[in-house]
Amino acid sequence: MRKIGLVGGTGPESTLMYYKELNSRIDNLTGEKAMPDIAIESVNFRRAWEYVCNKDYEALSDYLAEKVKCLEASGCEVISLTAVTMHIVFDEIVRKSDTKLSLVSIPKTVAEETVKRGIKKIGLLGTIFTMEEDYMKKDLLEAGVEVFVPDKSERELIAKRIFEELEKGIVNESTLAEFVQIINKMKERNGIEGIILGCTELPLILNQNNCLLPCLDAVEIHIKKLIELAL
């Protein structure tokens, strides 16, 4: 089994989710005979987020590339970031880390799953950067999938709830109601056929049981790909 490396800490809740799910699922898949070797390089979330907010992408890619190098030096063969937003500098991280391995991209694996399901119009939720920048949309658009995001006020509300609540592990029913209402409005406005949970904390509150549209959980899709490569 290949050793897994995670660039974590962005935020801690999603890192815990990755660690727990990778261990429990691989244990089950191997008939309780093996769990993966996992190394985590945890970044200073406040520092990384400041780089993102200031659009200091050069410093952000330097910081994350160094973490990737540390993981590779520790023997990791399957490496990934554990946050969608940090993929804003994914290509630069690959270049700067000069890794001999392929980093496992969240946007790419989500695009592959969207196409596999035959979805032509998809909604995207995430941090303000994920919804407004192109890094999560690029692979989808290249695959012929139309991508829609909420209106500006809705994007700001979603970003606020992610940062002030979900990043801290806080799940409120009132926030769930807000999110479901936004998704329903997108269905009416844009005719979306599914919704991408494009932030690693969103599955804490949204899932197939409380959303009327098919939910493409970026974390779930990414974890499955990591397990496939590790095994």
Side-chain angles (χ1 to χ4, degrees), residues 163-188:
F163 191 73
E164 295 182 356
E165 298 176 14
L166 299 179
E167 286 283 0
K168 300 174 183 177
I170 300 169
V171 178
N172 291 320
E173 287 297 318
S174 58
T175 297
L176 172 60
E178 291 171 336
F179 285 8
V180 169
Q181 184 179 39
I182 289 170
I183 293 168
N184 289 339
K185 284 182 179 179
M186 291 176 71
K187 185 177 185 298
E188 293 173 6

Side-chain angles (χ1 to χ4, degrees), residues 1-28:
M1 193 187 307
R2 296 182 179 92
K3 184 177 180 180
I4 300 171
L6 303 176
V7 179
T10 51
E13 290 297 324
S14 67
T15 307
L16 289 171
M17 187 190 308
Y18 270 85
Y19 183 77
K20 180 179 178 181
E21 290 299 316
L22 288 168
N23 272 289
S24 61
R25 293 190 195 194
I26 289 177
D27 191 38
N28 288 335

Side-chain angles (χ1 to χ4, degrees), residues 11 33 61 63 87 108 113 134 156 180 183 197 206 223:
K33 292 180 180 178
S61 58
Y63 187 35
H87 283 71
K108 184 176 180 180
E113 181 65 21
D134 293 333
E156 291 173 348
V180 169
I183 293 168
L197 306 183
L206 279 170
I223 287 174

Side-chain angles (χ1 to χ4, degrees), residues 134-151:
D134 293 333
Y135 58 92
M136 192 66 187
K137 304 167 189 171
K138 182 170 173 279
D139 290 300
L140 289 159
L141 294 171
E142 288 178 354
V145 179
E146 291 185 75
V147 185
F148 299 91
V149 296
D151 288 344

